[in-house]
Short mmCIF file of all heavy atoms in Angstrom, two decimals:
data_model
loop_
_atom_site.label_atom_id
_atom_site.label_comp_id
_atom_site.label_asym_id
_atom_site.label_seq_id
_atom_site.Cartn_x
_atom_site.Cartn_y
_atom_site.Cartn_z
N GLY L 4 19.37 34.09 -26.12
CA GLY L 4 18.74 32.90 -26.70
C GLY L 4 18.95 32.76 -28.18
O GLY L 4 19.85 33.37 -28.73
N PRO L 5 18.13 31.93 -28.84
CA PRO L 5 16.98 31.22 -28.28
C PRO L 5 17.43 30.15 -27.25
O PRO L 5 18.39 29.44 -27.49
CB PRO L 5 16.33 30.58 -29.50
CG PRO L 5 17.44 30.42 -30.48
CD PRO L 5 18.36 31.57 -30.27
N PHE L 6 16.69 30.09 -26.15
CA PHE L 6 17.06 29.22 -25.07
C PHE L 6 16.37 27.87 -25.13
O PHE L 6 15.24 27.74 -25.58
CB PHE L 6 16.73 29.87 -23.71
CG PHE L 6 17.56 31.10 -23.43
CD1 PHE L 6 16.98 32.35 -23.37
CD2 PHE L 6 18.94 30.98 -23.21
CE1 PHE L 6 17.74 33.48 -23.10
CE2 PHE L 6 19.71 32.11 -22.95
CZ PHE L 6 19.10 33.37 -22.91
N LEU L 7 17.11 26.87 -24.63
CA LEU L 7 16.54 25.55 -24.32
C LEU L 7 16.69 25.35 -22.84
O LEU L 7 17.52 25.96 -22.18
CB LEU L 7 17.28 24.45 -25.10
CG LEU L 7 17.21 24.49 -26.62
CD1 LEU L 7 18.07 23.39 -27.23
CD2 LEU L 7 15.79 24.35 -27.11
N TYR L 8 15.86 24.45 -22.29
CA TYR L 8 15.84 24.24 -20.84
C TYR L 8 15.94 22.74 -20.56
O TYR L 8 15.49 21.90 -21.32
CB TYR L 8 14.53 24.77 -20.26
CG TYR L 8 14.20 26.17 -20.70
CD1 TYR L 8 13.41 26.40 -21.84
CD2 TYR L 8 14.66 27.27 -20.01
CE1 TYR L 8 13.10 27.68 -22.26
CE2 TYR L 8 14.37 28.56 -20.42
CZ TYR L 8 13.59 28.75 -21.57
OH TYR L 8 13.29 30.03 -22.02
N THR L 9 16.56 22.45 -19.42
CA THR L 9 16.54 21.07 -18.94
C THR L 9 16.61 21.09 -17.42
O THR L 9 16.83 22.15 -16.81
CB THR L 9 17.67 20.23 -19.53
OG1 THR L 9 17.46 18.84 -19.21
CG2 THR L 9 19.04 20.62 -18.98
N VAL L 10 16.45 19.94 -16.79
CA VAL L 10 16.52 19.82 -15.35
C VAL L 10 17.54 18.74 -14.97
O VAL L 10 17.57 17.68 -15.57
CB VAL L 10 15.14 19.45 -14.74
CG1 VAL L 10 15.25 19.27 -13.24
CG2 VAL L 10 14.12 20.54 -15.08
N MET L 11 18.36 19.06 -14.00
CA MET L 11 19.34 18.14 -13.45
C MET L 11 19.02 17.89 -11.99
O MET L 11 18.79 18.85 -11.25
CB MET L 11 20.76 18.71 -13.58
CG MET L 11 21.84 17.83 -12.99
SD MET L 11 23.48 18.63 -13.00
CE MET L 11 23.27 19.81 -11.65
N THR L 12 18.99 16.64 -11.58
CA THR L 12 18.74 16.29 -10.18
C THR L 12 19.93 15.52 -9.65
O THR L 12 20.41 14.56 -10.33
CB THR L 12 17.44 15.49 -10.03
OG1 THR L 12 16.34 16.29 -10.50
CG2 THR L 12 17.20 15.14 -8.58
N VAL L 13 20.41 15.86 -8.45
CA VAL L 13 21.62 15.27 -7.89
C VAL L 13 21.35 14.76 -6.49
O VAL L 13 20.73 15.43 -5.67
CB VAL L 13 22.76 16.30 -7.83
CG1 VAL L 13 24.01 15.68 -7.23
CG2 VAL L 13 23.06 16.84 -9.24
N SER L 14 21.85 13.54 -6.24
CA SER L 14 21.80 12.96 -4.91
C SER L 14 23.20 12.58 -4.50
O SER L 14 23.91 11.90 -5.29
CB SER L 14 20.89 11.72 -4.90
OG SER L 14 20.88 11.12 -3.61
N ILE L 15 23.66 13.02 -3.36
CA ILE L 15 25.01 12.70 -2.84
C ILE L 15 24.87 11.56 -1.83
O ILE L 15 24.06 11.64 -0.89
CB ILE L 15 25.63 13.94 -2.19
CG1 ILE L 15 25.78 15.04 -3.26
CG2 ILE L 15 26.99 13.59 -1.57
CD1 ILE L 15 26.20 16.39 -2.68
N VAL L 16 25.64 10.49 -2.04
CA VAL L 16 25.46 9.27 -1.21
C VAL L 16 26.77 8.84 -0.58
O VAL L 16 27.86 9.13 -1.12
CB VAL L 16 24.88 8.12 -2.06
CG1 VAL L 16 23.51 8.47 -2.58
CG2 VAL L 16 25.81 7.75 -3.20
N ASN L 17 26.68 8.14 0.56
CA ASN L 17 27.88 7.63 1.21
C ASN L 17 28.20 6.22 0.70
O ASN L 17 27.57 5.71 -0.23
CB ASN L 17 27.70 7.64 2.74
CG ASN L 17 26.55 6.76 3.20
OD1 ASN L 17 26.11 5.85 2.51
ND2 ASN L 17 26.05 7.06 4.40
N ASP L 18 29.17 5.57 1.31
CA ASP L 18 29.62 4.26 0.86
C ASP L 18 28.52 3.20 0.97
O ASP L 18 28.59 2.16 0.31
CB ASP L 18 30.86 3.80 1.66
CG ASP L 18 32.08 4.66 1.35
OD1 ASP L 18 32.07 5.32 0.28
OD2 ASP L 18 33.04 4.70 2.16
N ASP L 19 27.56 3.43 1.83
CA ASP L 19 26.45 2.50 2.02
C ASP L 19 25.23 2.86 1.16
O ASP L 19 24.14 2.35 1.38
CB ASP L 19 26.04 2.43 3.48
CG ASP L 19 27.14 1.90 4.37
OD1 ASP L 19 27.84 0.97 3.92
OD2 ASP L 19 27.33 2.43 5.48
N SER L 20 25.47 3.77 0.21
CA SER L 20 24.42 4.24 -0.72
C SER L 20 23.30 4.97 -0.02
O SER L 20 22.19 5.08 -0.55
CB SER L 20 23.85 3.04 -1.52
OG SER L 20 24.84 2.44 -2.31
N MET L 21 23.59 5.48 1.17
CA MET L 21 22.60 6.28 1.90
C MET L 21 22.71 7.74 1.48
O MET L 21 23.81 8.29 1.34
CB MET L 21 22.83 6.14 3.41
CG MET L 21 22.71 4.72 3.93
SD MET L 21 21.04 4.06 3.72
CE MET L 21 20.14 5.09 4.87
N ASN L 22 21.56 8.36 1.31
CA ASN L 22 21.52 9.76 0.85
C ASN L 22 22.06 10.70 1.91
O ASN L 22 21.61 10.68 3.08
CB ASN L 22 20.08 10.12 0.50
CG ASN L 22 19.97 11.53 -0.07
OD1 ASN L 22 20.97 12.10 -0.49
ND2 ASN L 22 18.77 12.07 -0.13
N GLU L 23 23.05 11.53 1.55
CA GLU L 23 23.62 12.50 2.46
C GLU L 23 23.54 13.91 1.89
O GLU L 23 24.26 14.82 2.31
CB GLU L 23 25.07 12.15 2.80
CG GLU L 23 25.23 10.92 3.65
CD GLU L 23 26.64 10.76 4.20
OE1 GLU L 23 27.52 11.56 3.78
OE2 GLU L 23 26.86 9.86 5.02
N THR L 24 22.63 14.12 0.94
CA THR L 24 22.49 15.45 0.35
C THR L 24 21.95 16.43 1.35
O THR L 24 21.00 16.13 2.08
CB THR L 24 21.53 15.37 -0.86
OG1 THR L 24 21.86 14.25 -1.67
CG2 THR L 24 21.63 16.64 -1.70
N ARG L 25 22.60 17.62 1.41
CA ARG L 25 22.17 18.66 2.34
C ARG L 25 21.84 19.94 1.57
O ARG L 25 22.34 20.16 0.46
CB ARG L 25 23.25 18.94 3.36
CG ARG L 25 23.62 17.75 4.26
CD ARG L 25 24.81 18.13 5.13
NE ARG L 25 25.97 18.46 4.30
CZ ARG L 25 26.98 19.23 4.70
NH1 ARG L 25 26.93 19.78 5.90
NH2 ARG L 25 28.01 19.47 3.92
N GLU L 26 21.07 20.78 2.18
CA GLU L 26 20.73 22.06 1.55
C GLU L 26 21.98 22.89 1.29
O GLU L 26 22.09 23.65 0.34
CB GLU L 26 19.74 22.84 2.39
CG GLU L 26 19.22 24.06 1.68
CD GLU L 26 18.04 24.71 2.42
OE1 GLU L 26 17.73 24.25 3.56
OE2 GLU L 26 17.45 25.64 1.86
N GLU L 27 22.99 22.74 2.17
CA GLU L 27 24.24 23.48 2.03
C GLU L 27 24.97 23.12 0.74
O GLU L 27 25.83 23.89 0.24
CB GLU L 27 25.17 23.22 3.21
CG GLU L 27 24.74 23.85 4.51
CD GLU L 27 23.59 23.10 5.19
OE1 GLU L 27 23.28 21.98 4.75
OE2 GLU L 27 23.04 23.65 6.15
N ASN L 28 24.68 21.94 0.16
CA ASN L 28 25.36 21.51 -1.05
C ASN L 28 24.89 22.27 -2.30
O ASN L 28 25.52 22.19 -3.35
CB ASN L 28 25.15 20.02 -1.26
CG ASN L 28 25.67 19.15 -0.14
OD1 ASN L 28 25.02 18.17 0.25
ND2 ASN L 28 26.85 19.49 0.38
N VAL L 29 23.76 22.97 -2.16
CA VAL L 29 23.25 23.71 -3.32
C VAL L 29 24.27 24.70 -3.84
O VAL L 29 24.53 24.79 -5.04
CB VAL L 29 21.92 24.43 -2.96
CG1 VAL L 29 21.52 25.39 -4.08
CG2 VAL L 29 20.82 23.44 -2.68
N ASN L 30 24.89 25.43 -2.94
CA ASN L 30 25.85 26.44 -3.35
C ASN L 30 27.08 25.81 -4.01
O ASN L 30 27.67 26.40 -4.91
CB ASN L 30 26.27 27.28 -2.16
CG ASN L 30 26.83 28.62 -2.58
OD1 ASN L 30 26.35 29.23 -3.54
ND2 ASN L 30 27.83 29.11 -1.86
N ALA L 31 27.47 24.64 -3.51
CA ALA L 31 28.61 23.94 -4.10
C ALA L 31 28.35 23.62 -5.57
O ALA L 31 29.19 23.85 -6.44
CB ALA L 31 28.92 22.66 -3.31
N LEU L 32 27.18 23.07 -5.84
CA LEU L 32 26.85 22.73 -7.23
C LEU L 32 26.72 23.99 -8.09
O LEU L 32 27.15 24.01 -9.24
CB LEU L 32 25.57 21.92 -7.28
CG LEU L 32 25.73 20.39 -7.24
CD1 LEU L 32 26.41 19.97 -5.94
CD2 LEU L 32 24.40 19.69 -7.37
N ASN L 33 26.18 25.04 -7.50
CA ASN L 33 26.05 26.29 -8.27
C ASN L 33 27.40 26.87 -8.64
O ASN L 33 27.52 27.55 -9.67
CB ASN L 33 25.25 27.31 -7.44
CG ASN L 33 23.75 27.12 -7.59
OD1 ASN L 33 23.29 26.48 -8.53
ND2 ASN L 33 22.99 27.65 -6.66
N SER L 34 28.41 26.64 -7.80
CA SER L 34 29.74 27.18 -8.11
C SER L 34 30.30 26.58 -9.39
O SER L 34 31.14 27.18 -10.06
CB SER L 34 30.71 26.88 -6.95
OG SER L 34 30.99 25.51 -6.83
N VAL L 35 29.83 25.40 -9.75
CA VAL L 35 30.22 24.78 -11.02
C VAL L 35 29.29 25.23 -12.14
O VAL L 35 29.72 25.67 -13.19
CB VAL L 35 30.19 23.23 -10.92
CG1 VAL L 35 30.47 22.60 -12.28
CG2 VAL L 35 31.23 22.74 -9.89
N LEU L 36 28.00 25.16 -11.89
CA LEU L 36 27.04 25.47 -12.94
C LEU L 36 27.16 26.90 -13.46
O LEU L 36 26.98 27.15 -14.66
CB LEU L 36 25.61 25.23 -12.42
CG LEU L 36 25.22 23.79 -12.11
CD1 LEU L 36 23.83 23.72 -11.49
CD2 LEU L 36 25.30 22.93 -13.36
N GLU L 37 27.45 27.84 -12.57
CA GLU L 37 27.48 29.24 -12.96
C GLU L 37 28.60 29.52 -13.97
O GLU L 37 28.57 30.57 -14.67
CB GLU L 37 27.65 30.14 -11.74
CG GLU L 37 28.98 30.01 -11.04
CD GLU L 37 29.04 30.83 -9.75
OE1 GLU L 37 27.98 31.34 -9.34
OE2 GLU L 37 30.14 30.96 -9.18
N LYS L 38 29.57 28.64 -14.12
CA LYS L 38 30.62 28.83 -15.09
C LYS L 38 30.13 28.52 -16.50
O LYS L 38 30.75 28.96 -17.50
CB LYS L 38 31.81 27.91 -14.78
CG LYS L 38 32.52 28.22 -13.48
CD LYS L 38 33.81 27.49 -13.32
CE LYS L 38 33.64 25.98 -13.26
NZ LYS L 38 34.91 25.26 -13.06
N TYR L 39 29.03 27.78 -16.61
CA TYR L 39 28.60 27.28 -17.91
C TYR L 39 27.21 27.72 -18.34
O TYR L 39 26.94 27.85 -19.53
CB TYR L 39 28.66 25.75 -17.90
CG TYR L 39 30.00 25.16 -17.52
CD1 TYR L 39 30.21 24.62 -16.25
CD2 TYR L 39 31.06 25.18 -18.41
CE1 TYR L 39 31.42 24.08 -15.90
CE2 TYR L 39 32.29 24.65 -18.07
CZ TYR L 39 32.46 24.09 -16.81
OH TYR L 39 33.69 23.57 -16.46
N PHE L 40 26.31 27.92 -17.38
CA PHE L 40 24.90 28.16 -17.72
C PHE L 40 24.27 29.24 -16.84
O PHE L 40 24.78 29.56 -15.78
CB PHE L 40 24.05 26.89 -17.52
CG PHE L 40 24.60 25.66 -18.15
CD1 PHE L 40 25.10 24.63 -17.36
CD2 PHE L 40 24.64 25.49 -19.52
CE1 PHE L 40 25.61 23.48 -17.93
CE2 PHE L 40 25.16 24.36 -20.11
CZ PHE L 40 25.64 23.34 -19.32
N LYS L 41 23.11 29.72 -17.29
CA LYS L 41 22.17 30.36 -16.38
C LYS L 41 21.47 29.20 -15.66
O LYS L 41 21.08 28.22 -16.29
CB LYS L 41 21.15 31.18 -17.15
CG LYS L 41 21.72 32.31 -18.00
CD LYS L 41 22.20 33.45 -17.13
CE LYS L 41 22.63 34.63 -17.99
NZ LYS L 41 23.14 35.74 -17.16
N SER L 42 21.31 29.31 -14.36
CA SER L 42 20.70 28.20 -13.66
C SER L 42 20.07 28.65 -12.34
O SER L 42 20.44 29.71 -11.80
CB SER L 42 21.74 27.10 -13.34
OG SER L 42 22.72 27.57 -12.47
N VAL L 43 19.11 27.87 -11.86
CA VAL L 43 18.48 28.09 -10.56
C VAL L 43 18.38 26.74 -9.90
O VAL L 43 17.89 25.77 -10.51
CB VAL L 43 17.08 28.72 -10.71
CG1 VAL L 43 16.47 28.97 -9.33
CG2 VAL L 43 17.15 30.02 -11.51
N SER L 44 18.86 26.62 -8.65
CA SER L 44 18.89 25.33 -7.97
C SER L 44 18.13 25.37 -6.65
O SER L 44 18.08 26.40 -5.97
CB SER L 44 20.35 24.90 -7.70
OG SER L 44 21.09 24.83 -8.90
N PHE L 45 17.57 24.22 -6.29
CA PHE L 45 16.77 24.08 -5.07
C PHE L 45 17.06 22.77 -4.40
O PHE L 45 17.46 21.79 -5.04
CB PHE L 45 15.27 24.15 -5.40
CG PHE L 45 14.85 25.35 -6.18
CD1 PHE L 45 14.75 25.30 -7.55
CD2 PHE L 45 14.56 26.54 -5.52
CE1 PHE L 45 14.35 26.42 -8.27
CE2 PHE L 45 14.17 27.66 -6.22
CZ PHE L 45 14.07 27.61 -7.61
N TYR L 46 16.83 22.75 -3.10
CA TYR L 46 16.89 21.50 -2.33
C TYR L 46 15.43 21.01 -2.20
O TYR L 46 14.63 21.64 -1.53
CB TYR L 46 17.49 21.78 -0.93
CG TYR L 46 17.60 20.56 -0.06
CD1 TYR L 46 18.59 19.61 -0.27
CD2 TYR L 46 16.72 20.37 1.00
CE1 TYR L 46 18.71 18.51 0.56
CE2 TYR L 46 16.82 19.28 1.83
CZ TYR L 46 17.80 18.33 1.61
OH TYR L 46 17.90 17.23 2.41
N ILE L 47 15.14 19.91 -2.90
CA ILE L 47 13.76 19.41 -2.94
C ILE L 47 13.77 17.89 -2.64
O ILE L 47 14.49 17.13 -3.29
CB ILE L 47 13.11 19.60 -4.33
CG1 ILE L 47 13.15 21.08 -4.75
CG2 ILE L 47 11.69 19.11 -4.35
CD1 ILE L 47 12.67 21.33 -6.13
N ASN L 48 12.98 17.50 -1.68
CA ASN L 48 12.78 16.06 -1.39
C ASN L 48 14.11 15.32 -1.21
O ASN L 48 14.32 14.21 -1.71
CB ASN L 48 11.99 15.38 -2.52
CG ASN L 48 10.60 15.96 -2.66
OD1 ASN L 48 9.99 16.38 -1.68
ND2 ASN L 48 10.08 16.01 -3.89
N GLY L 49 15.05 15.94 -0.50
CA GLY L 49 16.32 15.28 -0.18
C GLY L 49 17.29 15.25 -1.33
O GLY L 49 18.31 14.57 -1.25
#
């Protein structure tokens, strides 16, 4: 540190703007985030 904190929320959508976010996508996003930050990710409310 000294550390700062923030929160990022992601929704994955199809061509009809319908939410298609799945819990399995957590690891995909973490594969990017871990290159740059300390982070903890969760699947919450879709």
